[in-house]
Every structure is written in structure tokens, then in C-alpha cells.
Amino acid sequence: MMEQPHSCCKGAEVLLNLQPTSSVSIQYHPFFGPHDDLVLLELDEKLLSDVLYQRVTLRGQPDEDAVLCTKSKTYSVKFVGTSNSVFLLPPADCSMSHESGGENYKQQVATASVIKVAPGNMELVEVAPRLDKLKSILSENLYSSDEASTAMGNLYKWDDLINKVQASDDELKAGLQALSAVEIDGYWRIVDEKYMDVILRMLLHNSVLNDWSLDSLVEDKVVSVLESDGFPCKLVYHCLNVYGSRVEEEAMGGGVWRLDARRVCVHFARGILREGKRKMESFMEEWLRMIPEEMRPSFDMLEGEVLTEKLGVETWVRALSVSSLPTAPAERFSILFKERAKWEWKDLEPYIRDLNVPGLSSEALLLKYTRRSQPSIDAEPVFSAR
């Protein structure tokens, strides 16, 4: 039983040098109470310096469960109750001790004051960043060729995004890159696919007119020509970055770029299938006609972008891009099994390889969300919904 508050007593310092076999008296602090603003947080040692030096942030809207973010990772914050009494002792404002014993014997007894009994603590569990919201809010207002008509919609700067999206800074940057987002006038935007198509086609058209190699596009020349065609400089660089990569830096600035065959081929395949499924022969004929002569397209390039299905003697192709699917595993598998009741591994794997759940491997995700069947030892395994 705790003693009633004394006018002054020792605080947490009394416990610093307490020996294993020693004891200390405790009593109520004058301000003892629930103190809901004081919460215990259990930390892994690797996170200690980030928390102590305030390199972490809590992120989330009022209707969301908060997450704690370091520079590179995201953690869910969960309350874990305890059956043991955990006393919180504040630092002492002053020190004192009280006397015990008879008239001829006095002993100084150290006392600690308890300001709160904690019912449990907050626990951190690493989780995948919640990036679906990023795509959702940036898709509200796509950057198009007629930007004047859309510029008054919802636009988001970096500070807006870190307040709205539950992800660490590094994960948020990776998410923006995966969406091919670009910062324009301080706002992060997704460029409309139709506008990107116009810019890419113009770049390819000029490569033929000016005899440019798609493996060695000189940055300054490309930017200059496309700017003269009416495209903003920022969007020309964005086109090079989305469909290619810089392979050489020039000493005087600028650089040399190479267009990536897969990215270009996927772009044109998406455009063809945007209107709906196509017969394989018709799709391949149109697709091959659109691809630049320097590139060697292969249907394997479209892994994770299209599905094929047999209808009678005909093979049909339809779009299903992994980039359009949710990042949450439960939602991802739900959509996939609505598309197909049963999946062979070679078809399913491209649609789940990017799933990121800390602590769970791809095999563990399959066990959790699918049923595996194998008609015979030699047959390919088939996965259906659990």
C-alpha cells in the first residue's frame, strides 16, 4: 500500500543506484492521477537514437491509426496491456527522507513518489508503407496538355504529402518514383498517360527526322527540339526519365540517354488495350507496328501487364497492370481471384512479387491467402482463394 503524499520526496533518482536486494518506499505524488498524456513506448535498441534525437514523426489523419516513421521505415503503433503494476516516477523537485525507529534509533528511509500507474505500453511493429492513398490523391488531378483547365484542383506539395500519406520519407520518395510522379512548380503531379504518349511519339518522330540513335540521345538536342515543338522543358526531362535512363554525363552539363525498350513497349501495349481486350493476332500486329525499328519487342516484356485467355480456338489479350493493384496483400489477392478463380504460378508470380510485408516472405503470403493444389506430381501447382 502506498503512503499518502508527503510535502516533498525523492523522485526517479532514488532508483538509479538501487541494489538488487534493496527496497524503496513509495508514496503518491501530489499530482498523482491518470495523466493520459504520459505513455510508455517500448523500443528496439536500433530505434533508440532516432527517438531520442527526434528523428521520428507520427503520421496519420484523425480517422486513421497512427504510424511512427523514421527516415526509411514505417511502424504501426499498438497498445499492449500488462497485468503487472508499472509505476511512473517523475524527477524530484527536491530531496528528503523521513525518519523511522524509536527515540534512540533513527534511520533515513528514501522514498519515491509515483505520479501514475501505467496500464501498459505502446509497441512498434514494422509495417509496409500505406502508399495506395498516394496514388489516389495524385490521381485526382492529372497534369494534362490543357493544364490551364485543371490547375485549380487539389494539388499537393511535399509537406502536404507527408501529412497525408503514412510512409517514411524514403518510402514516399520511392512511391512517387513508382508512380512516375514529377514535381512541377512545387507540386507533385502524375502526368496524364495521353499527354505522355504525345511527348513520347514526338520524341520518336524527331529521332527519325534527326537521325538520333535511341541508345544515345543527346540531352541538350532532345530538349531543345521538343521545346521548340511546344513541350515544357520539365516535361521533356520527365519523358526521358520515365522511358529511359541517363547513361553518360557530359563535362559541360547535360548528358546522354538511352530509351528502355521494355518501358516503351509496355507504354504502347497499354495504349492499345485501354479500349478493351483484343485477339492476340490483332494485338501483336498493331503493337509491332508501333514499336521503333531499333527495338526488338517480345511478348515476355508484358509480364505483369497483360493476361491471356483462351476462348474457343482464339487467344485474347487484356490489360491487367500490377501497378494498378492495391499494395495491401488482402486487397491484392481479392482482386486477383476475382479476375481468375485459379492461377498457375507463372501467371500469378508477376502480380505478387512486389508485395512488401515486413516479416512475411512470399511463401508465407501464399500460405495465408491461397490454397495450393497439384493434380499430379508433374503438373504445375495451381493457386485458388483460401
Side-chain angles (χ1 to χ4, degrees):
M1 181 178 293
M2 286 192 286
E3 302 175 16
Q4 291 302 309
H6 200 283
S7 60
C8 189
C9 59
K10 289 191 175 182
E13 296 86 351
V14 116
L15 304 179
L16 292 179
N17 299 313
L18 194 66
Q19 299 302 310
T21 58
S22 304
S23 62
V24 65
S25 295
I26 58 175
Q27 67 178 34
Y28 289 109
H29 190 278
F31 299 114
F32 178 84
H35 294 289
D36 294 333
D37 57 332
L38 296 176
V39 181
L40 287 178
L41 177 63
E42 183 179 355
L43 287 175
D44 188 290
E45 192 171 342
K46 65 184 179 182
L47 289 173
L48 191 57
S49 62
D50 285 330
V51 173
L52 290 179
Y53 294 102
Q54 300 182 358
R55 295 193 293 258
V56 297
T57 55
L58 285 170
R59 293 180 180 171
Q61 297 297 300
D63 60 340
E64 297 173 324
D65 293 330
V67 297
L68 183 141
C69 295
T70 63
K71 181 178 179 294
S72 60
K73 293 185 178 180
T74 303
Y75 298 85
S76 65
V77 185
K78 297 181 180 179
F79 179 80
V80 180
T82 177
S83 57
N84 297 323
S85 295
V86 179
F87 299 143
L88 300 189
L89 281 66
D93 293 330
C94 56
S95 298
M96 65 89 59
S97 59
H98 67 270
E99 296 179 348
S100 66
E103 200 173 291
N104 299 321
Y105 175 73
K106 291 186 179 180
Q107 181 183 10
Q108 297 292 314
V109 180
T111 305
S113 67
V114 176
I115 198 168
K116 169 178 175 151
V117 178
N121 60 269
M122 304 306 290
E123 181 180 78
L124 301 181
V125 179
E126 186 180 348
V127 294
R130 298 166 185 174
L131 293 171
D132 288 338
K133 187 175 183 180
L134 177 64
K135 181 178 181 180
S136 174
I137 62 176
L138 291 185
S139 297
E140 294 171 2
N141 189 5
L142 300 177
Y143 189 97
S144 69
S145 56
D146 187 17
E147 176 60 15
S149 65
T150 62
M152 298 307 293
N154 292 328
L155 300 178
Y156 301 93
K157 295 185 177 182
W158 173 259
D159 287 345
D160 299 321
L161 295 178
I162 62 176
N163 286 328
K164 285 184 171 291
V165 180
Q166 294 183 301
S168 69
D169 287 3
D170 287 353
E171 290 166 332
L172 185 55
K173 290 173 184 176
L176 289 167
Q177 184 175 3
L179 291 172
S180 297
V182 58
E183 190 176 17
I184 300 174
D185 298 328
Y187 296 97
W188 284 94
R189 311 291 301 276
I190 294 176
V191 182
D192 185 80
E193 284 191 12
K194 293 179 181 178
Y195 190 27
M196 290 298 293
D197 182 66
V198 173
I199 302 172
L200 177 61
R201 286 173 183 269
M202 187 59 71
L203 189 158
L204 295 174
H205 176 69
N206 278 296
S207 73
V208 175
L209 291 181
N210 297 287
D211 198 24
W212 296 338
S213 168
L214 300 182
D215 287 331
S216 55
L217 294 168
V218 178
E219 180 178 298
D220 291 342
K221 291 181 180 179
V222 173
V223 172
S224 175
V225 170
L226 289 186
E227 272 194 299
S228 68
D229 288 330
F231 297 103
C233 175
K234 186 82 173 183
L235 271 296
V236 178
Y237 278 109
H238 183 57
C239 180
L240 288 171
N241 192 56
V242 169
Y243 299 111
S245 55
R246 184 183 266 118
V247 293
E248 184 181 331
E249 295 281 354
E250 291 187 351
M252 300 302 291
V256 178
W257 293 73
R258 173 187 295 129
L259 290 192
D260 183 278
R262 181 183 184 277
R263 293 184 223 170
V264 173
C265 291
V266 165
H267 168 84
F268 286 117
R270 286 176 176 174
I272 296 169
L273 296 175
R274 196 172 291 130
E275 302 302 321
K277 65 183 180 181
R278 297 280 293 270
K279 289 181 181 180
M280 175 68 85
E281 294 79 3
S282 171
F283 166 76
M284 290 298 295
E285 182 181 344
E286 184 172 351
W287 187 48
L288 294 174
R289 190 169 62 246
M290 292 176 135
I291 305 302
E293 290 184 3
E294 287 184 50
M295 295 181 177
R296 297 291 176 265
S298 163
F299 194 76
D300 291 340
M301 290 178 170
L302 304 183
E303 181 184 73
E305 292 290 335
V306 302
L307 289 178
T308 59
E309 56 185 349
K310 279 275 191 182
L311 295 176
V313 296
E314 299 283 359
T315 300
W316 291 74
V317 184
R318 59 190 174 93
L320 181 64
S321 176
V322 65
S323 63
S324 69
L325 300 176
T327 57
E331 297 174 32
R332 173 79 62 91
F333 279 102
S334 175
I335 289 176
L336 289 175
F337 287 121
K338 286 177 182 176
E339 289 285 340
R340 281 184 181 176
K342 295 182 178 181
W343 288 77
E344 292 184 359
W345 173 243
K346 63 180 177 61
D347 296 326
L348 180 62
E349 193 271 339
Y351 290 100
I352 65 170
R353 71 164 71 116
D354 68 313
L355 286 177
N356 171 30
V357 182
L360 279 182
S361 63
S362 296
E363 291 77 12
L365 287 172
L366 289 173
L367 284 172
K368 185 173 182 179
Y369 294 105
T370 72
R371 295 183 186 277
R372 173 180 170 145
S373 59
Q374 203 165 358
S376 65
I377 297 176
D378 298 328
E380 289 293 324
V382 174
F383 297 87
S384 56
R386 179 170 287 280

